[in-house]
Amino acid sequence: MLTLTPKGELICPADEIFDSTAILVQLSEAFENIQDNAARRNETVRILRDAQKAGRKTIADAFAKRPFDARPLTRSYTYLTDGLVCTAMQVASTYLHPLATPTQGEKIAVLAVGGYGRGEMAPASDVDLLFLTPYKITAWAESVIESMLYMLWDLRLKVGHSSRTIKDCLRLGTEDFTIRTAMLEQRYLAGDAALAEELDDRLKTELFKGSERQFIEAKLQERDERHHKQGERYMVEPNVKEGKGGLRDLQSLYWIAKYIYGVQDVAELVPLGLFEPEEFSTFVEAEEFLWAVRSHLHLVTGRATEQLTFDLQVEVADRMGYEDRAGRRAVEVFMQRYFREATRVGELTRIFLTKLEASHVKGAALLERIFRRRPRVKAGYKVVHGRLDVADAKKFLSDKLNLLRLFEEGLRTGMLIHPDAMRLVTANLSLIDDDMRQNKEAQRIFLDLMLKHGNPERALRRMNELGVLSAFLPEFEHIVAMMQFNMYHSYTVDEHTIQTIVNLAQIERGELVESLPLASSILKRGVNRKVLYVALLLHDIAKGRPEDHSILGAQIARKVAPRLGLNKSDSETVEWLVRYHLLMSDMAQKRDISDPRTVRDFAKAVKTVKRLDLLTVLTVCDIRGVGPNTWNNWKATLLRALHAETKRALETGMEDLNRANRGAEAKKALRSALDDWSKADLKAETGRHYAPYWQGLNLSTHIEFAKMLRALEHSGDPGAMEIHLHPDDDRDATRACFAMADHPGIFARIAGALALVGANVVDARSYTTKDGYVTDAFWIQDAEGHPFEASRLPRLTQMIQKTLKGEVVARDALKSRDKIKKRERAFNVPTHIIFDNDGSEIYTIIEVDTRDRPGLLYDLTRTLAAANVYIANAVIATYGEQVVDTFYVKDMFGLKYHSESKQRGLETKLRKAITEGAERAIS
């Protein structure tokens, strides 16, 4: 007889999930007419498959109605799996391989181990089984196990299995902690119950007892390795199972508790004094939420998916019933909750480990590695296990400023704060009130945390996790754990803010002189550090609201800066920096810096070199704080150039910027570089180009084009073209130079040829000469954002040449390549097109801000060429899945596009090209 008992509340009635009585009746009726073992096995699989299908559907339907009820859900999948496994065991041992008189050795027990043993199963979890025999396995036991496994495999269950004696279990458990952990959670399913009980007793007495410390050290080491591999807690595509603050962290807590205290449930840790009741409810809430997310992931993909990728975040948020809120998508609201739960898991882990430390179970060695000598602490503090703790809680709380002083003392001594002190702070956040926020001493302590100790991120991150930062700066609360749903930002907004401050501190400590010479030299010369740190802390404070976050952020900064103790002029500078924190980045990445008007407009906006320096450092830290791979030499070169030109304009006057001055300098430089050329050749070369050519390109590119044009003239072939690809290491890009006889649409054809070879264009310049040639320079990168390997350049040149000669038609060849990956389809990037006639003296600037894809630049340039628009240059800035393509253009008569009807006509054509391309990319 088969009796299944659920281990707690299920998501729907047990017999709707698996009705064991009905199934056994069905089987015995079927077997009356079938004698052959193979046929009996097939019949069992057929009956169980129907039951499995119906059970899974019932569970999934119930979960869709109660999308947060993960506990009952995981129990329900366990219950269904128990039914399948126990029935398979019954059929194998009773019907397929019956034993009339079993000997002492012919016993077998089937145990569930690992997560299945714990009774926690997600929809696509593995089924881990241990087949236990008293002695060496007999032929009968082997047949039973084999038949059972074949049935389970035919049911498409992912079965992990081992056959062992009790002796094997003890031996292997001694050698391997993974096996030991799996056996910690063994649960009897079917077969000989006495055998299973004996294993349980002997594991406790012979394996677990006395090895507690060893086990804890092993689990903590596993955790550290896992976090190192998975990345920090706030990566925007987290792994729900293995990531920091994920389910595995909670399970590790449970394993350690069970190993030491023999508890069957985390609830038992409360009477043991390891958790306060409210901490236990936090544990339950976090666990339930994470299991719900994981289960939805499995149901959406139909497999054991643990990574919450962008496309799945949207689906899971939808399944869990999240909705859009003012200025934020449902997926962002959902992910904010996810990251807040992950932070709580981190806190719980800390609390639990400290309690173990107090009972001397966890080796002090872990902490001794961090502290060789005990630092002296100020009055009111004590050192416990090498961590900073509060000597007398009552005394500590009698002065609310101590809630900030604790972090100052932590930075001063370089010690980690003891979790008991952290608990004390968290429980008394209500002491941080308006009165304290206005207190001069509180303001001093807070600013000193950033300015004085050289590693502000440690205090800020801990204060943020404990809620102190949002209590002292209530405006910060809104961005805690806030995710921005795009591919550009690798962190949540609060973590990004802390990352920018990490970067500033690193520059100050002189650690980034080689990679950031400009920012390092500005800080060395001296700037107002207080202004810079406060501006970074507040620069994204208004993210996630419907209004422009720079404008609203500046309004918030106007109120917050004086409250942090800044004087009137410093507060105004902070407000200005927050308001314009994107200006320099936008000017450098979305405009042509070689156009004098760009520098002139930027210089007018910043007004002083002091502000220029502050904004430069802020911009560098902001870009570097976006993610580990956002900063590169290309951006560095643009910002350095913009800083140098603007500083020159501010110090020596705007006249220095005019085209004539620059042109004369560039021609002079070329003459001295080509000193082996004849006077006549030099005169022809310096006379054939228009003014923009001389200021838009650097000397090495001028030399390159001079040689290419000379080669074209000597060839005597009107259809000849010269293509030179060359690594431009200063800019992290490959420079591609093209020279040929001018004819309409060349720019678009080059863009198509480059898209075909998988090149991303970051900058492009097109110049016609007075004698009918065109010189186009493109800076390109590979898919990873790096210059192309030198070994690939000859082949690339050959492929580009084929396309330009018409042997390959870019439009047709691109169709199969111009696709958007599945995980990236969840992003909505609205298209904005702006016409700007003020940003350049001689061109209209068309800025197209839209969704990026491989063939976009080709589509846009082809559309402009078809409308007889002359493109002088293109500046391309990419932010994850979003791209801003800026074109400097004239009409066919060399004039700007002033008429609104012409602008509207062009915009309609560009939008049509974008829409058609986007549809093609996801088809």
Side-chain angles (χ1 to χ4, degrees):
M1 189 57 201
L2 178 61
T3 48
L4 294 175
T5 45
K7 302 275 179 288
E9 184 207 348
L10 301 179
I11 203 150
C12 52
D15 54 2
E16 288 179 25
I17 296 171
F18 190 89
D19 187 343
S20 50
T21 317
I23 282 165
L24 287 178
V25 170
Q26 239 181 310
L27 284 166
S28 65
E29 284 173 5
F31 290 170
E32 280 171 15
N33 309 317
I34 306 171
Q35 299 310 316
D36 175 56
N37 266 4
R40 281 183 163 190
R41 202 174 77 195
N42 291 342
E43 185 61 15
T44 306
V45 170
R46 188 190 66 74
I47 289 170
L48 286 181
R49 187 175 289 145
D50 290 348
Q52 179 190 28
K53 205 171 165 187
R56 290 185 77 87
K57 185 179 185 315
T58 306
I59 296 172
D61 291 349
F63 190 44
K65 293 187 187 116
R66 297 161 54 186
F68 285 87
D69 286 3
R71 270 267 147 273
L73 175 89
T74 58
R75 287 192 205 107
S76 301
Y77 280 114
T78 304
Y79 184 76
L80 174 60
T81 311
D82 284 357
L84 300 170
V85 172
C86 293
T87 309
M89 170 65 178
Q90 181 123 351
V91 169
S93 58
T94 315
Y95 292 103
L96 304 183
H97 311 286
L99 259 189
T101 49
T103 64
Q104 190 58 32
E106 285 171 323
K107 288 180 190 166
I108 185 167
V110 184
L111 284 80
V113 291
Y116 176 37
R118 199 167 54 244
E120 288 184 335
M121 291 196 85
S125 289
D126 293 355
V127 179
D128 290 326
L129 298 174
L130 168 63
F131 296 104
L132 192 65
T133 54
Y135 315 110
K136 190 172 180 296
I137 200 158
T138 63
W140 169 80
E142 209 162 290
S143 306
V144 171
I145 293 169
E146 191 177 311
S147 295
M148 232 184 117
L149 287 173
Y150 275 121
M151 286 187 272
L152 297 176
W153 285 330
D154 286 346
L155 290 170
R156 300 275 182 275
L157 290 176
K158 282 190 295 183
V159 183
H161 63 96
S162 53
S163 309
R164 296 182 186 138
T165 63
I166 292 180
K167 218 168 171 180
D168 293 337
C169 292
L170 294 169
R171 180 175 53 79
L172 292 163
T174 310
E175 295 164 6
D176 185 329
F177 277 104
T178 311
I179 293 175
R180 196 183 298 195
T181 309
M183 287 193 299
L184 181 63
E185 306 191 286
Q186 41 81 24
R187 177 171 63 90
Y188 168 74
L189 290 175
D192 193 311
L195 191 60
E197 209 164 300
E198 188 190 339
L199 173 71
D200 194 41
D201 291 342
R202 289 186 62 184
L203 283 173
K204 282 177 189 159
T205 53
E206 295 176 37
L207 183 63
F208 300 161
K209 206 172 176 195
S211 62
E212 291 86 354
R213 179 174 292 191
Q214 205 187 352
F215 182 77
I216 294 168
E217 299 272 347
K219 285 292 132 201
L220 294 179
Q221 192 180 339
E222 265 174 37
R223 190 189 72 159
D224 292 344
E225 284 166 10
R226 195 170 63 244
H227 290 175
H228 186 68
K229 189 174 158 197
Q230 287 296 333
E232 280 307 300
R233 180 177 309 138
Y234 296 125
M235 296 307 267
V236 286
E237 288 186 294
N239 185 311
V240 182
K241 184 179 173 186
E242 305 285 348
K244 194 166 181 178
L247 279 166
R248 189 62 91 208
D249 281 358
L250 284 179
Q251 282 161 2
S252 299
L253 283 193
Y254 173 68
W255 288 329
I256 292 172
K258 187 166 183 183
Y259 201 93
I260 298 168
Y261 300 105
V263 301
Q264 294 305 316
D265 189 343
V266 182
E268 296 172 45
L269 295 176
V270 177
L272 287 171
L274 286 158
F275 276 149
E276 299 292 327
E278 61 273 18
E279 287 163 352
F280 170 65
S281 61
T282 302
F283 183 102
V284 173
E285 205 176 301
E287 190 179 37
E288 185 110 27
F289 180 78
L290 291 170
W291 268 109
V293 172
R294 184 178 182 213
S295 303
H296 286 295
L297 266 179
H298 285 199
L299 288 169
V300 167
T301 58
R303 54 194 163 82
T305 309
E306 312 298 354
Q307 191 92 24
L308 202 45
T309 52
F310 293 126
D311 53 328
L312 294 172
Q313 288 170 14
V314 176
E315 283 205 54
V316 172
D318 184 46
R319 287 176 70 105
M320 292 179 83
Y322 284 90
E323 289 172 357
D324 294 355
R325 286 190 206 159
R328 298 176 67 200
R329 287 181 66 179
V331 63
E332 294 177 318
V333 180
F334 159 61
M335 289 307 290
Q336 184 164 26
R337 163 94 197 260
Y338 179 89
F339 290 121
R340 290 192 167 185
E341 295 297 347
T343 313
R344 285 179 175 167
V345 171
E347 282 172 33
L348 287 171
T349 315
R350 268 203 307 273
I351 289 165
F352 179 67
L353 294 177
T354 320
K355 282 294 187 197
L356 287 183
E357 207 171 83
S359 51
H360 301 297
V361 175
K362 177 168 164 272
L366 273 180
L367 297 158
E368 292 310 322
R369 284 174 224 157
I370 308 168
F371 296 105
R372 293 285 169 259
R373 59 187 180 79
R374 285 175 65 152
R376 308 251 323 247
V377 293
K378 287 185 177 170
Y381 299 101
K382 62 180 179 180
V383 179
V384 179
H385 291 299
R387 293 179 190 232
L388 183 67
D389 200 358
V390 170
D392 177 342
K394 205 169 166 197
K395 221 166 168 186
F396 178 82
L397 295 173
S398 66
D399 179 356
K400 48 193 171 190
L401 294 193
N402 283 333
L403 292 172
L404 286 178
R405 287 193 189 108
L406 173 68
F407 297 97
E408 186 175 40
E409 184 64 1
L411 283 186
R412 189 189 71 78
T413 57
M415 292 172 80
L416 296 171
I417 295 171
H418 194 284
D420 282 351
M422 293 188 207
R423 277 164 128 170
L424 187 66
V425 169
T426 316
N428 292 283
L429 289 175
S430 56
L431 292 175
I432 302 177
D433 52 11
D434 279 341
D435 171 50
M436 175 168 163
R437 291 179 201 112
Q438 302 295 346
N439 183 301
K440 288 267 187 290
E441 177 63 5
Q443 295 165 354
R444 179 202 65 76
I445 298 169
F446 184 78
L447 287 176
D448 278 357
L449 288 173
M450 290 197 287
L451 296 168
K452 207 170 161 185
H453 301 279
N455 53 349
E457 72 273 15
R458 234 185 70 197
L460 289 174
R461 188 170 282 127
R462 187 61 80 235
M463 287 165 78
N464 186 30
E465 286 176 359
L466 297 177
V468 177
L469 194 51
S470 339
F472 192 69
L473 264 188
E475 294 81 359
F476 200 81
E477 163 65 25
H478 183 70
I479 60 168
V480 173
M482 176 189 283
M483 176 223 202
Q484 301 166 80
F485 191 66
N486 57 48
M487 279 166 57
Y488 181 56
H489 291 92
S490 299
Y491 307 108
T492 50
V493 184
D494 54 340
E495 180 62 19
H496 159 70
T497 301
I498 291 171
Q499 288 290 341
T500 62
I501 289 171
V502 168
N503 273 285
L504 178 54
Q506 283 180 307
I507 302 170
E508 283 204 310
R509 292 196 297 262
E511 291 169 16
L512 300 173
V513 175
E514 272 182 38
S515 50
L516 302 176
L518 174 60
S520 301
S521 68
I522 290 174
L523 288 182
K524 208 169 174 189
R525 285 200 302 273
V527 292
N528 187 327
R529 296 174 61 233
K530 195 187 290 184
V531 163
L532 207 41
Y533 273 103
V534 173
L536 278 175
L537 185 67
L538 302 179
H539 78 282
D540 274 349
I541 198 101
K543 271 275 170 85
R545 301 176 196 246
E547 306 90 334
D548 179 321
H549 83 279
S550 300
I551 297 172
L552 187 59
Q555 292 164 8
I556 293 173
R558 185 182 308 160
K559 292 204 296 263
V560 174
R563 204 174 70 218
L564 289 177
L566 273 67
N567 63 32
K568 190 166 183 286
S569 120
D570 285 353
S571 296
E572 280 170 6
T573 308
V574 168
E575 182 187 340
W576 183 87
L577 284 168
V578 174
R579 171 66 187 88
Y580 294 107
H581 74 272
L582 294 173
L583 178 68
M584 187 170 194
S585 164
D586 283 350
M587 281 289 196
Q589 295 185 73
K590 300 179 189 174
R591 290 290 179 266
D592 177 7
I593 306 174
S594 68
D595 188 316
R597 180 66 69 87
T598 303
V599 178
R600 195 169 297 162
D601 289 350
F602 182 59
K604 277 182 187 162
V606 295
K607 293 190 174 66
T608 66
V609 174
K610 191 176 104 181
R611 275 190 175 179
L612 170 69
D613 283 348
L614 286 168
L615 185 58
T616 303
V617 177
L618 180 105
T619 305
V620 169
C621 295
D622 190 15
I623 295 174
R624 287 176 65 93
V626 165
N629 305 312
T630 316
W631 180 258
N632 56 27
N633 278 349
W634 177 258
K635 289 172 186 161
T637 306
L638 294 174
L639 288 172
R640 275 203 287 270
L642 183 56
H643 180 275
E645 293 291 334
T646 310
K647 190 174 179 197
R648 188 165 121 184
L650 289 169
E651 286 175 345
T652 61
M654 303 286 182
E655 297 69 46
D656 250 20
L657 294 173
N658 73 35
R659 289 179 187 276
N661 285 356
R662 287 193 180 182
E665 285 171 23
K667 287 177 190 175
K668 192 175 162 194
L670 183 68
R671 283 193 202 98
S672 59
L674 299 177
D675 54 1
D676 56 339
W677 279 36
S678 70
K679 265 204 171 123
D681 280 357
L682 277 173
K683 194 175 177 193
E685 178 55 31
T686 52
R688 63 160 37 120
H689 300 284
Y690 296 101
Y693 174 87
W694 294 108
Q695 68 185 78
L697 299 170
N698 60 10
L699 176 62
S700 70
T701 315
H702 284 152
I703 295 169
E704 189 86 50
F705 276 132
K707 290 175 179 171
M708 289 165 82
L709 289 168
R710 189 152 89 159
L712 281 179
E713 285 185 323
H714 289 173
S715 76
D717 173 5
M721 62 173 88
E722 285 281 318
I723 303 176
H724 286 196
L725 269 57
H726 195 73
D728 187 340
D729 295 329
D730 286 347
R731 296 183 170 198
D732 263 351
T734 301
R735 186 186 65 203
C737 291
F738 302 86
M740 62 195 90
D742 188 19
H743 47 86
I746 282 182
F747 193 93
R749 279 176 58 198
I750 295 175
L754 292 171
L756 261 187
V757 297
N760 290 327
V761 178
V762 286
D763 198 355
R765 319 261 146 170
S766 179
Y767 304 99
T768 48
T769 66
K770 295 170 187 171
D771 52 352
Y773 289 108
V774 62
T775 51
D776 284 357
F778 283 72
W779 278 265
I780 56 176
Q781 292 174 330
D782 65 13
E784 259 61 71
H786 301 301
F788 283 91
E789 299 276 330
S791 57
R792 286 183 63 191
L793 297 183
R795 181 162 157 67
L796 284 180
T797 309
Q798 205 181 344
M799 286 159 79
I800 292 167
Q801 211 145 10
K802 274 187 173 173
T803 313
L804 291 179
K805 283 181 176 163
E807 293 170 32
V808 178
V809 180
R811 187 188 294 195
D812 301 339
L814 260 176
K815 275 180 189 159
S816 60
R817 309 216 182 164
D818 190 9
K819 296 287 177 204
I820 291 173
K821 293 184 188 130
K822 184 175 179 289
R823 74 173 257 271
E824 296 169 12
R825 287 184 190 173
F827 300 108
N828 307 333
V829 182
T831 297
H832 298 289
I833 298 176
I834 301 165
F835 287 79
D836 170 8
N837 278 312
D838 302 324
S840 171
E841 282 161 38
I842 46 180
Y843 302 111
T844 291
I845 300 171
I846 304 177
E847 187 180 290
V848 181
D849 181 341
T850 189
R851 174 68 201 253
D852 195 15
R853 59 184 166 78
L856 176 72
L857 184 65
Y858 174 54
D859 285 349
L860 296 177
T861 50
R862 206 177 69 221
T863 305
L864 292 173
N868 296 315
V869 177
Y870 164 67
I871 304 171
N873 51 36
V875 180
I876 290 94
T878 311
Y879 306 91
E881 74 285 358
Q882 176 191 5
V883 68
V884 180
D885 287 356
T886 307
F887 302 100
Y888 282 68
V889 304
K890 297 180 191 177
D891 67 12
M892 59 202 294
F893 306 110
L895 302 171
K896 285 186 178 186
Y897 284 88
H898 281 293
S899 118
E900 263 193 43
S901 63
K902 277 188 177 173
Q903 288 183 9
R904 270 202 305 275
L906 269 183
E907 180 172 347
T908 306
K909 287 174 180 166
L910 288 169
R911 281 185 182 275
K912 184 171 180 259
I914 290 169
T915 310
E916 286 173 359
E919 283 165 5
R920 196 173 58 237
I922 56 172
S923 61

